[in-house]
Amino acid sequence: RKEVEQDPGPFNVPEGATVAFNCTYSNSASQSFFWYRQDCRKEPKLLMSVYSSGNEDGRFTAQLNRASQYISLLIRDSKLSDSATYLCVVNRPGGFKTIFGAGTRLFVKA
Amino acid sequence: DTGVSQDPRHKITKRGQNVTFRCDPISEHNRLYWYRQTLGQGPEFLTYFQNEAQLEKSRLLSDRFSAERPKGSFSTLEIQRTEQGDSAMYLCASTRGGSNTGELFFGEGSRLTVL
């Protein structure tokens, strides 16, 4: 079993749709959690951190459920520019080793 | 440009040859990471350094792989006796140490093709 698991998709949604991605992690002692975005043939970039209390950044909302070892990302009012791969990221205990999921691909269509 | 830089951006080599990649992190970042990424997969952790110390190395790395960060600044990743399965994008990332802010800053990667 992979340490971080995501649905690979692809998710094909129309502009304006709401889409949600899920991620599970296996190490219950993992300390911090993130979503990264990776455009085609580009390097990954931080989208947002994920906190137990949940956090929101514009159209993006991230949630963490430590009991279920589950992370989610919600994108509201999808834009064409949201088309990318979304990577779920977990830091191991100690905070040094950063593990990436395989990514979920999103295509937003006009 | 003060971001993470990697060199070369592309490398084509024949099976059995040795290759070396270089990474220059953001100057004030003391942690440096190497990842490997293949098509349709997320970045796979290879190794990381805090300053010049290599603190962890993935079991994914065979003895053919070695990484160094001799002065705690730039790093090199060497692959000896390359195999076709080594073909991938090799990504370097850096971050500031201390309390983990979580944000890794990636370079644009070095794409390796082994023929």
Side-chain angles (χ1 to χ4, degrees):
Chain A
R1 182 186 173 191
K2 291 187 176 181
E3 188 163 350
V4 179
E5 298 214 56
Q6 300 181 244
D7 180 347
F11 286 66
N12 293 286
V13 303
E15 272 187 296
T18 295
V19 61
F21 304 139
N22 302 319
C23 166
T24 57
Y25 60 95
S26 60
N27 190 329
S28 60
S30 296
Q31 290 195 326
S32 46
F33 310 88
F34 312 91
W35 285 100
Y36 276 67
R37 170 189 169 132
Q38 187 171 26
D39 293 310
C40 187
R41 297 185 178 277
K42 297 287 188 182
E43 71 274 21
K45 293 185 179 179
L46 180 68
L47 178 66
M48 59 196 305
S49 301
V50 188
Y51 306 117
S52 297
S53 56
N55 53 307
E56 186 173 315
D57 183 2
R59 298 180 293 107
F60 298 82
T61 300
Q63 295 276 356
L64 167 65
N65 184 321
R66 284 190 181 270
S68 301
Q69 296 177 211
Y70 169 96
I71 304 161
S72 66
L73 176 68
L74 183 75
I75 305 175
R76 292 180 298 277
D77 188 23
S78 299
K79 311 292 185 190
L80 293 175
S81 58
D82 294 334
S83 297
T85 297
Y86 291 84
L87 299 161
C88 177
V89 183
V90 172
N91 276 0
R92 286 267 191 87
F96 299 141
K97 188 170 176 179
T98 304
I99 305 298
F100 286 75
T104 299
R105 296 184 70 187
L106 172 66
F107 294 100
V108 181
K109 303 170 293 184
Chain B
D1 189 334
T2 56
V4 178
S5 64
Q6 294 188 241
D7 182 72
R9 295 287 309 282
H10 303 274
K11 178 71 176 178
I12 300 174
T13 191
K14 293 183 179 178
R15 185 163 51 97
Q17 298 294 305
N18 298 344
V19 297
T20 299
F21 301 118
R22 175 179 170 125
C23 172
D24 287 89
I26 294 171
S27 59
E28 62 267 28
H29 288 180
N30 62 343
R31 285 197 201 147
L32 185 148
Y33 296 75
W34 284 100
Y35 287 85
R36 178 172 65 189
Q37 188 172 27
T38 54
L39 192 63
Q41 298 299 314
E44 290 180 290
F45 172 84
L46 293 179
T47 189
Y48 78 92
F49 293 83
Q50 177 142 321
N51 300 313
E52 66 276 8
Q54 187 173 20
L55 297 186
E56 190 165 347
K57 183 175 174 178
S58 169
R59 286 172 291 178
L60 291 173
L61 288 189
S62 70
D63 291 342
R64 297 185 296 108
F65 287 72
S66 62
E68 294 182 342
R69 195 182 182 199
K71 297 182 180 179
S73 56
F74 75 92
S75 176
T76 58
L77 176 69
E78 181 183 15
I79 309 173
Q80 296 182 326
R81 304 181 305 282
T82 52
E83 302 173 356
Q84 288 184 326
D86 298 331
S87 296
M89 177 72 84
Y90 290 85
L91 292 164
C92 176
S94 70
T95 190
R96 195 191 308 268
S99 60
N100 195 323
T101 64
E103 183 166 11
L104 296 183
F105 294 83
F106 282 87
E108 293 181 301
S110 293
R111 182 172 296 281
L112 174 65
T113 301
V114 182
L115 302 176

